[in-house]
Amino acid sequence: MNQKPSIPKGTRDFSPEEMTKRNYIFDTIKSVFRLYGFQQIETPAMENLSTLLGKYGEEGDKLLFKVLNSGDFLSGISDAELLERNAARLSGKICEKGLRYDLTVPFARFVVQNRDKISFPFKRYQIQPVWRADRPQKGRYREFYQCDADIIGSNSLFNELELIQIIEEVFCRLKINVCIKINNRKILSGIAEYIGEPEKLTDITTAIDKIDKIGIENVNEELLSKGINREALGKLQPLLQLKGSNQEKLAQLKALLFESAAGMKGITELETIFDLCEKANVCVPIELDLTLARGLNYYTGAILEVKALDVEIGSISGGGRYDNLTGVFGWEGVSGVGVSFGADRIYDVLYQLQLFPEISAEQTKILFVVFGEKELKFSLQWAQALRKENINTEIYAEPSKLKKQLGYADNKKIPFVAIVGENEMQEGKITFKNMATGEQQMISLEELIQRLKS
RNA sequence: GUGGUCGUAGCUCAGCUGGUAGAGCGUCGGAUUGUGGUUCCGAAUGUCGCGGGUUCGAGUCCCGUCCUCCACCCCA
């Protein structure tokens, strides 16, 4: 036997049925992006490794897929270097390219490289796969799609509002009930200052990000192990357990963080965003959640996350503001804010809640069933006439038995067939059969078109 | 990267304390040479993930390896 075919770990094939469902998601997201004036770009699957390395932290570098140089990639390598067996060092010499890890860094590269052609603020969207050499598990893959929309080159909090409106519109169209969790990186900095551990900001945020998952005790334990002292931990506790409406939470925060300039700035930003949402009649519930940190270190202002209300799953979208994204590529001080929709998780939500619509538009409407070569040629003109009317039409390409051809229509859920035989050709008609009811009737081309269009 | 788990027909799986490989679904053919979705009859298909070991004999036991899935780290 031949070798059994397989695909790489963490990758997936998508069947026609899955693709119509996935396209429903992508098309919905795309149309909302366009509604707000975002323009699509694409960037290559491969970037130069120098573009990617060092942008995602040490862990991130390990998760990059590297592409081996073409040709004799060992030509410049000495025996000594080979014997050293230093994989990291060696890979730097034999790999110049890598698969993109997200869409944000390539976007930053794109902006810097094309700054002369772009007019700012630049609103772009991008829907492409990204790759991570992670170990796959439930809902996590080595190849997956991101749907990003970013506004770059504007500090206005109006942009944050726009992203919230986009989130609202997308999930409204998909009929998913969601709640937006919002936080602000500056408030987190303020908190770190307030408890006297400003240097430990990253440790603090990644720890409290897990509060839902591992509970407050374990978070405290982790913070202790990271070197946060007990006094600081004590000051942190009331902040982790803030209760009440957004306004109430903000009031309490103000009372605690009044000495921190950053913290107060974050609070003001949030107040402005809440106010704008009210003016814009945003209806989705938006909840201030201080435990929302998101792993990404480049966020500097608002942090957003979207949770589905009717199904137990992690966040289905996220985003935030980042200042100076393009700084690493030599262009300082460009601020942006973006949102990313997690297509795979949205798929799971729609699947679990059975919210996928019946999509029949792209399905074949009628199949020509034929008995021989002559009938095949006869059908050709009919099929062309139908296609001219925008009716999805197929001709069964070989004169197999009727049983087989009808079985094909059945499996493919084609609602109508046109049976073409000698009798039909003599009369210049076809036998029109409704697969659901079994009714059939000989009719002319004009009548056929009329029936299929109604 | 750490820990666990799985692998038998195209798919889902059964296969006892070791004794020559099984079912359902699907596929193909026929009942029905111009009528599908229902029914009935028949047929084809396997290096039992791969490599080694124990044994007279291994799908079954042992070791290794790869793969799948799950959890952790991290992340979408």
Side-chain angles (χ1 to χ4, degrees):
Chain A
M1 193 174 107
N2 297 331
Q3 142 200 14
K4 231 183 186 178
S6 65
I7 53 175
K9 186 197 288 240
T11 65
R12 294 160 295 167
D13 286 326
F14 298 112
S15 67
E17 293 73 31
E18 288 167 316
M19 279 314 297
T20 67
K21 292 188 167 75
R22 285 173 67 82
N23 280 333
Y24 166 66
I25 297 171
F26 291 138
D27 291 344
T28 304
I29 293 171
K30 259 188 218 176
S31 58
V32 175
F33 286 165
R34 291 204 197 103
L35 193 62
Y36 281 81
F38 286 73
Q39 296 175 294
Q40 187 170 24
I41 68 161
E42 288 203 356
T43 61
M46 279 183 284
E47 291 278 347
N48 291 326
L49 223 33
S50 56
T51 303
L52 266 17
L53 282 169
K55 309 299 188 299
Y56 308 106
E58 210 177 305
E59 284 296 313
D61 285 356
K62 280 191 217 155
L63 297 179
L64 284 172
F65 275 108
K66 297 175 179 118
V67 176
L68 199 56
N69 290 345
S70 314
D72 182 7
F73 51 85
L74 288 180
S75 62
I77 310 293
S78 68
D79 290 356
E81 283 172 299
L82 281 175
L83 284 170
E84 208 183 309
R85 304 181 77 87
N86 183 331
R89 177 104 52 87
L90 206 54
S91 75
K93 297 203 169 178
I94 61 180
C95 303
E96 285 163 1
K97 301 172 286 294
L99 297 178
R100 70 169 162 254
Y101 179 91
D102 70 359
L103 300 179
T104 308
V105 166
F107 173 52
R109 192 222 80 224
F110 177 95
V111 167
V112 172
Q113 219 178 313
N114 294 284
R115 66 226 259 196
D116 57 321
K117 302 179 197 83
I118 296 170
S119 76
F120 294 91
F122 180 41
K123 301 164 91 170
R124 79 85 228 228
Y125 74 90
Q126 189 171 358
I127 299 178
Q128 287 190 277
V130 303
W131 293 269
R132 295 183 188 179
D134 211 353
R135 191 172 288 205
Q137 51 174 291
K138 196 182 184 66
R140 285 174 67 177
Y141 307 94
R142 292 181 135 184
E143 178 185 65
F144 61 97
Y145 274 72
Q146 290 191 333
C147 314
D148 280 21
D150 291 81
I151 306 159
I152 194 163
S154 164
N155 290 306
S156 168
L157 292 173
F158 200 83
N159 298 313
E160 271 83 340
L161 167 68
E162 213 162 76
L163 293 186
I164 289 170
Q165 289 178 297
I166 285 174
I167 290 167
E168 176 172 44
E169 183 65 26
V170 165
F171 289 112
C172 173
R173 290 187 184 194
L174 293 174
K175 301 189 172 53
I176 299 176
N177 292 315
V178 297
C179 162
I180 299 178
K181 305 245 181 185
I182 192 166
N183 194 6
N184 193 297
R185 189 74 186 207
K186 296 189 180 86
I187 294 180
L188 292 172
S189 304
I191 290 173
E193 267 179 59
Y194 165 69
I195 67 168
E197 300 274 11
E199 268 91 57
K200 292 275 185 357
L201 177 61
T202 311
D203 288 335
I204 294 169
T205 54
T206 52
I208 66 177
D209 194 32
K210 296 178 198 158
I211 203 161
D212 274 345
K213 218 164 148 188
I214 62 175
I216 200 158
E217 293 80 16
N218 292 319
V219 168
N220 285 333
E221 220 160 275
E222 178 167 335
L223 285 170
L224 277 175
S225 75
K226 296 276 183 186
I228 309 284
N229 67 54
R230 287 194 179 272
E231 188 195 342
L233 211 55
K235 288 176 94 172
L236 185 63
Q237 297 313 303
L239 288 160
L240 296 181
Q241 295 166 27
L242 280 190
K243 293 260 149 43
S245 70
N246 293 333
Q247 276 67 31
E248 286 163 353
K249 287 180 187 168
L250 283 172
Q252 294 169 65
L253 278 175
K254 265 191 216 173
L256 292 169
L257 303 182
F258 63 93
E259 280 180 321
S260 159
M264 291 309 281
K265 180 108 195 295
I267 291 168
T268 313
E269 285 182 11
L270 270 183
E271 281 176 333
T272 309
I273 293 171
F274 284 136
D275 182 53
L276 283 171
C277 285
E278 211 181 305
K279 296 273 184 336
N281 298 319
V282 171
C283 300
V284 257
I286 304 178
E287 188 193 331
L288 169 57
D289 182 355
L290 283 182
T291 69
L292 176 62
R294 309 217 82 216
L296 292 170
N297 279 321
Y298 53 70
Y299 287 126
T300 51
I303 307 171
L304 293 171
E305 205 164 275
V306 181
K307 301 268 285 184
L309 292 176
D310 304 320
V311 55
E312 210 47 57
I313 198 165
S315 73
I316 52 178
S317 293
R321 174 166 296 271
Y322 40 82
D323 295 325
N324 202 24
L325 180 77
T326 54
V328 280
F329 298 116
W331 190 17
E332 300 288 336
V334 181
S335 180
V337 55
V339 64
S340 180
F341 290 86
D344 294 299
R345 284 199 178 162
I346 292 173
Y347 185 100
D348 290 343
V349 171
L350 290 174
Y351 188 81
Q352 282 181 43
L353 299 177
Q354 299 186 322
L355 288 174
F356 281 112
E358 279 304 318
I359 301 166
S360 54
E362 55 193 46
Q363 210 177 285
T364 300
K365 197 127 189 219
I366 184 165
L367 171 76
F368 279 81
V369 166
V370 297
F371 286 100
E373 292 297 323
K374 269 186 276 177
E375 287 87 348
L376 214 41
K377 282 171 191 155
F378 176 87
S379 308
L380 233 41
Q381 290 158 40
W382 284 61
Q384 278 317 97
L386 294 182
R387 290 178 183 136
K388 211 168 246 169
E389 298 292 331
N390 234 345
I391 296 162
N392 297 354
T393 305
E394 280 189 74
I395 302 176
Y396 201 91
E398 33 193 313
S400 312
K401 292 192 169 161
L402 262 203
K403 183 180 163 74
K404 181 147 190 198
Q405 301 193 42
L406 289 172
Y408 173 83
D410 212 31
N411 280 331
K412 224 174 151 182
K413 297 194 167 60
I414 299 173
F416 303 105
V417 295
I419 301 171
V420 187
E422 225 161 297
N423 305 340
E424 284 83 357
M425 286 197 297
Q426 252 167 31
E427 301 217 17
K429 294 184 171 178
I430 53 92
T431 296
F432 179 71
K433 179 177 171 103
N434 180 323
M435 290 296 280
T437 63
E439 287 171 273
Q440 60 185 59
Q441 193 181 357
M442 266 221 251
I443 58 174
S444 67
L445 180 58
E446 291 70 35
E447 206 175 337
L448 178 61
I449 290 173
Q450 207 186 0
R451 291 223 194 169
L452 290 176
K453 290 194 86 171
S454 61

